[in-house]
Amino acid sequence: MGKSISGFSKLSKSEKIDWILKTHFSDRKNAKNILIQYWNTDEKLQQLHDEFIENTITNYHLPFGVAPNYLINEKLYTLPMAIEESSVIAAASKAAKFWLNRGGFKTKVISTIKVGQVHLIYHGNFETLKRYFNFIKPQLIKDTNSITKNMEQRGGGIIDIELKNKTKDLKDYYQLHATFETLDAMGANFINSCLEQFAKTFKTEAQKFELFSSEEKNIQIIMSILSNYVPECLVRAEVSCKVEDLNEDKSISPEEFATKFIQAVNIAEIEPYRAVTHNKGIMNGVDAVVLATGNDFRAVEAGVHAYASRHGKYSSLTHAKVDKGIFTFWIEIPLALGTVGGLTNLHPLVKLALEMLGNPNAKELMQIVAVAGLAQNFAALRSLTTTGIQQGHMKMHLMNILNQFNANDNEKATLVEYFKSNIATHNAVVEALENLRR
Ligand code: HMG
């Protein structure tokens, strides 16, 4: 059982570590060694990482891998991917290679609108509130001038502010629902700063609005915050080819493959249990690129899954069809991403990842990330509808099992060779390792 502490945040890094070791570990020396093992030897770089978050005691490494051969709108990319799960990058690479010779990926940004809301409580007549809103709206925008100046110079800014009456859902609840164009920035700080200024002006100026009763003047601001639901920050990615060109798997005809593949997508469109796993596979690719490029994968996850439920039932993010002998497979996905601000200018690996992608702007990054999701889904569905997922996944996971049992380099080499022609299950790997050691 641990114990509580006051003033932990004020301790130095080494004092924090000492407290953690003393409070939670019996083998303190070993625990300390593990923490220190992950520190960067470059002190300045370590300090940078320490200062990304609070109470940092060490670094948590994720593998940073790459998937080459991504032909997107006629341009070749190598995708940087940060992920811990085996077989994701192999699958991404295999899908890229498959589509490389079939026209590659075609993408289009549909819209780039982001949303923020001031949530407020108002006791009174809606018509009077509407009149106040229309009267004050120009000032709401004017009062954010110092915040929006630079963004406007670059071509972005506030698009609109609407007053929304939500009293049917919650007594006396209204919103200032604002839309923004934040260009290459993800925009969270910009949007939140604008919203907080709207809230301040809206509340203060209400005191002077003559049509309000004294109760109506007392507008209560509950909170001002951007929304990670971005159904109008949408990107589409697509692949297509003649059905007869879906001809790589010798075990299945292209026609049968197309039919089974489309059925698998149809199932994910109508069955939430399947849709969640289907979309998880898409997020394998999306999150890995989002993380590698220093973007907020929690925001992306929340927004994507809300979008997948927008018709009232959780459903597939991808779709597929055959029309006049052409197989088409596509995704439409909301992605609010940034290529400036946040970690993008700070984390050396993020900068490297962005350079690897040719320093894309936010719209280009949206397209690349959507492609990563589509490709990942293609690879998973291709395996699921042909060999089954375990064959390829376990082939890639083999090294993790061997490491778990401390296999040496010779044992690894022998068993990797052995499992090229034998099916790798956890038990089969353990058994083969035991046989080898006997
Ligand atoms: P394979 O045909 O055995 O691979 O596929 P191969 O050895 O013949 O190599 C073909 C190509 O695959 C390679 O070309 C690489 O592009 C790639 P090359 O580089 O030789 O020119 N590739 C690799 N890339 C990097 N490192 C490797 C590697 N091996 C192959 N070691 C593969 C094997 C795993 C790719 C295939 O079986 C596959 O795509 N499986 C799907 C795996 C998958 O989806 N994994 C995600 C985790 S499972 C999950 O979480 C999602 C799921 O539940 C979602 C859903 O239900 O929809 C499945």
Side-chain angles (χ1 to χ4, degrees):
M1 183 71 181
K3 56 180 183 195
S4 64
I5 176 170
S6 167
F8 183 78
S9 66
K10 313 288 182 302
L11 300 181
S12 69
K13 183 173 168 182
S14 75
E15 287 167 337
K16 283 173 187 162
I17 292 174
D18 286 345
W19 186 86
I20 294 283
L21 295 172
K22 209 167 60 200
T23 313
H24 295 290
F25 294 91
S26 48
D27 187 348
R28 291 175 197 164
K29 200 165 157 234
N30 179 49
K32 189 169 184 174
N33 281 343
I34 293 174
L35 291 177
I36 291 173
Q37 232 172 21
Y38 283 90
W39 286 356
N40 203 296
T41 46
D42 180 334
E43 277 180 25
K44 257 185 101 180
L45 191 60
Q46 184 53 52
Q47 192 185 345
L48 184 72
H49 281 71
D50 288 350
E51 290 171 1
F52 283 152
I53 60 163
E54 309 77 38
N55 290 346
T56 310
I57 55 172
T58 192
N59 306 312
Y60 184 95
H61 291 188
L62 275 184
F64 180 107
V66 293
N69 296 323
Y70 269 87
L71 185 64
I72 305 174
N73 299 337
E74 310 302 330
K75 199 170 150 191
L76 261 177
Y77 293 85
T78 298
L79 302 199
M81 302 177 86
I83 189 158
E84 85 300 344
E85 188 176 359
S86 48
S87 87
V88 168
I89 292 196
S93 306
K94 186 168 169 170
K97 205 172 146 189
F98 182 91
W99 287 106
L100 179 64
N101 305 317
R102 292 167 177 81
F105 296 82
K106 300 282 182 289
T107 61
K108 196 173 105 187
V109 171
I110 297 169
S111 51
T112 55
I113 298 172
K114 288 160 192 164
V115 170
Q117 297 168 320
V118 177
H119 303 271
L120 58 98
I121 298 293
Y122 161 80
H123 309 285
N125 183 294
F126 177 51
E127 286 310 312
T128 320
L129 184 68
K130 241 174 29 189
R131 286 177 74 171
Y132 170 60
F133 172 73
N134 290 332
F135 163 75
I136 206 68
K137 189 173 165 180
Q139 195 179 334
L140 293 179
I141 295 181
K142 191 168 146 270
D143 286 357
T144 58
N145 272 352
S146 62
I147 307 166
T148 56
K149 206 171 101 206
N150 290 347
M151 187 65 88
E152 278 173 8
Q153 269 168 10
R154 292 192 292 267
I158 300 160
I159 299 171
D160 195 14
I161 316 173
E162 288 171 81
L163 173 69
K164 291 207 172 178
N165 182 344
K166 305 292 280 186
T167 52
K168 276 204 185 111
D169 299 323
L170 187 65
K171 189 170 176 290
D172 296 335
Y173 169 41
Y174 299 85
Q175 294 169 353
L176 300 182
H177 181 96
T179 43
F180 301 86
E181 171 56 71
T182 62
L183 305 167
D184 290 335
M186 192 266 190
N189 286 335
F190 171 76
I191 293 174
N192 289 336
S193 300
C194 290
L195 294 171
E196 287 186 6
Q197 184 56 55
F198 295 160
K200 199 168 157 194
T201 304
F202 202 71
K203 185 173 170 60
T204 316
E205 295 301 314
Q207 297 297 325
K208 302 179 207 156
F209 192 61
E210 285 170 359
L211 297 180
F212 276 155
S213 67
S214 54
E215 196 189 12
E216 286 171 333
K217 280 181 178 162
N218 194 17
I219 288 171
Q220 194 188 355
I221 303 294
I222 302 299
M223 58 191 161
S224 310
I225 188 74
L226 95 163
S227 173
N228 291 125
Y229 186 42
V230 283
E232 288 179 278
C233 190
L234 204 61
V235 55
R236 179 186 165 101
E238 152 181 329
V239 283
S240 66
C241 70
K242 286 183 192 157
V243 170
E244 67 208 52
D245 291 341
L246 297 166
N247 58 353
E248 266 204 354
D249 287 292
K250 302 287 170 272
S251 60
I252 189 168
S253 74
E255 293 72 21
E256 195 191 342
F257 173 73
T259 306
K260 276 187 90 176
F261 191 97
I262 291 170
Q263 283 294 21
V265 175
N266 291 344
I267 290 167
E269 284 170 342
I270 58 104
E271 166 54 56
Y273 277 95
R274 174 56 202 150
V276 170
T277 318
H278 179 96
N279 289 348
K280 183 274 182 193
I282 293 170
M283 300 315 284
N284 279 342
V286 168
D287 283 343
V289 181
V290 166
L291 256 177
T293 55
N295 275 276
D296 180 344
F297 69 93
R298 286 88 51 211
V300 167
E301 283 278 345
V304 164
H305 297 300
Y307 184 75
S309 318
R310 69 196 180 286
H311 299 306
K313 184 174 166 183
Y314 192 87
S315 177
S316 169
L317 293 161
T318 54
H319 309 281
K321 64 174 183 186
V322 169
D323 189 21
K324 299 189 180 80
I326 303 292
F327 169 84
T328 308
F329 178 47
W330 72 98
I331 188 169
E332 272 182 19
I333 186 170
L335 291 169
L337 301 175
T339 52
V340 296
L343 271 200
T344 55
N345 308 333
L346 275 177
H347 197 304
L349 274 175
V350 168
K351 286 198 250 180
L352 187 117
L354 289 169
E355 191 177 342
M356 194 184 300
L357 291 172
N359 288 320
N361 60 28
K363 277 186 175 176
E364 285 162 341
L365 187 60
M366 283 168 78
Q367 297 170 75
I368 293 165
V369 171
V371 163
L374 185 70
Q376 204 67 48
N377 191 220
F378 179 79
L381 290 183
R382 186 177 167 193
S383 287
L384 286 166
T385 55
T386 55
T387 58
I389 199 71
Q390 283 307 85
Q391 192 186 89
H393 183 69
M394 290 308 288
K395 192 168 139 188
M396 302 298 129
H397 191 56
L398 175 60
M399 211 46 87
N400 288 336
I401 306 175
L402 293 175
N403 281 332
Q404 201 183 327
F405 290 91
N406 296 319
N408 62 34
D409 288 348
N410 277 341
E411 290 169 337
K412 282 182 187 170
T414 310
L415 292 180
V416 164
E417 205 45 45
Y418 174 77
F419 282 108
K420 277 188 182 156
S421 50
N422 290 278
I423 293 182
T425 63
H426 187 89
N427 283 348
V429 176
V430 175
E431 215 171 279
L433 187 60
E434 280 170 2
N435 283 341
L436 196 64
R437 284 176 175 172
R438 247 180 233 136

